[in-house]
Amino acid sequence: MIRFGYGTNGFANHRLPDALDIIADLGYTGVALTLDHHHLDPYADGLASRVAKVADRLRTLGLGVVIETGARYLLDPRRKHAPTLLDDDRGHRVDFLSRAAAIGADLGAEAVSFWSGVRPEHVPPGLAWDRLVEGCARVLEAARGVPLGFEPEPGMLVDTIAGWHALRRALGAPDGFGLTLDIGHCRCNEPDPVPDCVTAVGPYLVNVQIDDMRRGTHEHLEFGEGEIDFPPVLRALADSGYRGLVAVELPRHSHAAPDVAARSLAFLRQAERDAIQAVQGEHDAAQAVPDVEGGSS
């Protein structure tokens, strides 16, 4: 069975304890926790005690956790997602990611996920790449054994799986540097069919986000509103051997979070059943022996 989770960035209007309770009550087995000013702010006072309380709550609810770091205005109230690892003041991002890794270690997180950021216009491509490699290396040093999941993000310096492979090679292919794969991004931005993308990166996956999307449009959609056929995708995930969380990523749906989360899990469970049924049908067909004794009448 696939371990479905839900992202707290889709519960932006809820207190974190309430969001965790709802996610667990709906039947999810994990949570993708985006550190933000209202959800376990890593810069607010009393961090250690707050982390301990969240860890206790996760254990009580039986929720696995991954740490997401895509808060929009946590580091700078005027610049979305800034500073990134590409900016002149990128040290603030390295500090944030190091804090995220420490929090992840204390929570028993399965991964800490992050991305490159958009290249600033005044930063040449080569310098941006060097800054990214250096920044990732520093985060790896601070990771405290928590797997890092780097996410290719449309519109950013590293926006494809091929870009992730190039970055991993530049870092020396370290064991702790894995891949966060957003299923919607595969449809939006990758040349290959979505199930093929999943199969190709199976050995590197440490975190999976799931949502619907259309070719060429980076908009996270509810399931059934985009172009992705999900049963083959879920089958590819199961066949890949990936056993981590597959967390719904709908950051613009907080206004109806409980209902959207309920619909999402119902959709994914049906897609999983359809995938299992398809496998069973193929197995039955392969096992069937044609009746060749009777001849034609």
Side-chain angles (χ1 to χ4, degrees):
M1 297 288 289
I2 291 176
R3 300 170 58 229
F4 292 117
Y6 202 90
T8 60
N9 61 358
F11 273 82
N13 300 322
H14 285 72
R15 298 178 184 89
L16 181 57
D18 293 337
L20 297 179
D21 287 349
I22 293 169
I23 289 168
D25 287 346
L26 287 173
Y28 287 96
T29 58
V31 60
L33 173 54
T34 296
L35 304 179
D36 209 338
H37 61 88
H38 57 302
H39 286 168
L40 201 54
D41 185 345
Y43 294 99
D45 293 337
L47 178 61
S49 63
R50 290 185 288 113
V51 170
K53 288 179 181 178
V54 172
D56 288 343
R57 193 63 190 153
L58 292 170
R59 281 192 294 268
T60 298
L61 295 172
L63 292 174
V65 62
V66 297
I67 300 297
E68 296 283 353
T69 58
R72 292 183 175 90
Y73 292 101
L74 177 65
L75 302 185
D76 189 320
R78 293 176 175 81
R79 297 183 296 159
K80 179 181 175 181
H81 288 155
T84 73
L85 293 173
L86 314 180
D87 284 301
D88 297 340
D89 52 349
R90 59 197 178 279
H92 295 301
R93 175 63 58 171
V94 173
D95 175 72
F96 171 49
L97 295 177
S98 299
R99 290 172 184 247
I103 291 170
D106 290 340
L107 293 180
E110 299 174 20
V112 172
S113 182
F114 68 109
W115 31 242
S116 65
V118 177
R119 180 177 65 84
E121 290 185 3
H122 72 281
V123 178
L127 177 58
W129 180 259
D130 291 343
R131 285 179 172 182
L132 177 60
V133 173
E134 178 195 16
C136 288
R138 292 173 63 186
V139 177
L140 275 163
E141 290 179 359
R144 295 176 55 184
V146 179
L148 299 180
F150 188 95
E151 179 186 5
E153 181 86 16
M156 294 191 177
L157 183 66
V158 175
D159 57 354
T160 62
I161 292 169
W164 173 83
H165 278 294
L167 178 58
R168 181 172 178 268
R169 287 193 299 270
L171 290 165
D175 291 337
F177 192 78
L179 175 67
T180 289
L181 186 69
D182 187 307
I183 298 301
H185 294 172
C186 293
R187 177 58 186 161
C188 171
N189 218 35
E190 298 288 346
D192 297 324
V194 180
D196 292 354
C197 292
V198 172
T199 299
V201 300
Y204 309 106
L205 289 178
V206 297
N207 183 32
V208 173
Q209 303 164 352
I210 193 164
D211 46 78
D212 212 344
M213 210 168 283
R214 300 188 182 99
R215 172 70 68 188
T217 302
H218 186 201
E219 181 182 3
H220 292 244
L221 303 173
E222 281 198 62
F223 302 109
E225 294 183 359
E227 300 171 344
I228 299 175
D229 182 18
F230 282 93
V233 174
L234 298 183
R235 178 176 177 180
L237 276 171
D239 290 346
S240 75
Y242 175 71
R243 298 295 179 263
L245 290 178
V246 179
V248 177
E249 177 85 353
L250 291 173
R252 299 183 184 277
H253 292 70
S254 292
H255 63 283
D259 291 339
V260 172
R263 287 196 299 268
S264 297
L265 187 56
F267 179 98
L268 290 170
R269 282 178 168 164
Q270 182 59 56
E272 185 178 29
R273 287 192 292 270
D274 292 344
I276 293 171
Q277 189 173 38
V279 171
Q280 186 61 50
E282 292 175 8
H283 176 76
D284 292 345
Q287 294 297 312
V289 178
D291 182 6
V292 296
E293 296 180 357
S296 58
S297 58

